[in-house]
């Protein structure tokens, strides 16, 4: 039997909820228009580059140059980020905290922009409980790149 010596938690959609549709359902009420915006402007591929370390200022400038008619909502992606993470998953948090309280070695590994992770830590104190965290935006690597695990 293998001994478990180290436990690693992901954060987004494991410990805290993340859904960009939450603020944008208000900002772009039409579902088809909102889907087009996420498929063509603020795409997952664009957003992951902030998780890799690109600044929001650079990210916004890039998209605004390509889609000037959507400048306000491009800026709203960062401005309204706090609405995208409305709550923790209490059951997952309880498991993590329970492991820490029992003396287990727990860390976190996450694809997260450095500034939004700092904000998340202020909002969700349990993110400060594990021994440490590897944040993609701080080290310039993202999952599933092997280098982030190494």
């Amino acid at each position: 039997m293998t001994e478990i010596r180290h436990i690693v938690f992901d954060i987004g959609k494991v410990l805290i909820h993340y859904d960009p549709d939450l603020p944008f359902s208000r900002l772009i009420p039409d579902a088809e228009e909102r889907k087009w915006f996420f498929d063509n402007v603020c795409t997952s591929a664009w957003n992951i580059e902030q998780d890799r370390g690109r600044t929001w200022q650079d990210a916004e400038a890039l998209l605004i140059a390509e889609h000037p008619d959507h400048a306000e909502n491009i800026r709203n992606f960062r401005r309204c980020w706090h609405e995208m993470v409305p709550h923790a998953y209490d059951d997952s948090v309880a498991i993590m905290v329970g492991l820490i309280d029992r003396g287990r070695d727990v860390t976190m590994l996450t694809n997260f922009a450095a500034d939004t992770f700092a904000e998340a830590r202020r909002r969700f104190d349990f993110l400060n409980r594990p021994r440490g965290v590897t944040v993609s935006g701080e080290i310039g690597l993202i999952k599933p790149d092997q280098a982030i695990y190494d």
Side-chain angles (χ1 to χ4, degrees), residues 64-132:
I64 291 169
E66 294 176 19
H67 304 278
D69 293 347
H70 296 279
E72 192 64 18
N73 278 329
I74 291 166
R75 288 186 187 101
N76 282 336
F77 198 92
R78 175 60 183 97
R79 268 188 215 135
C80 297
W81 178 84
H82 63 284
E83 294 178 51
M84 297 178 194
V85 290
H87 61 83
Y89 294 122
D90 294 336
D91 292 344
S92 296
V93 172
I95 291 168
M96 182 185 77
V97 169
L99 289 164
I100 294 167
D101 288 348
R102 288 194 300 279
R104 301 306 301 260
D105 183 33
V106 176
T107 63
M108 299 175 294
L109 170 65
T110 187
N111 284 349
F112 228 112
D115 67 321
T116 53
F117 184 70
E119 184 177 322
R121 277 187 129 161
R122 289 189 297 274
R123 289 182 53 207
F124 301 104
D125 189 55
F126 61 83
L127 294 175
N128 298 301
R129 295 281 317 270
R131 175 176 56 83

Side-chain angles (χ1 to χ4, degrees), residues 3 17 20-21 24 38 43 56 64 92 100 105 108 114 122 130 137:
E3 176 189 3
H17 186 69
D21 210 44
F24 278 92
F38 286 134
T43 66
W56 285 101
I64 291 169
S92 296
I100 294 167
D105 183 33
M108 299 175 294
R122 289 189 297 274

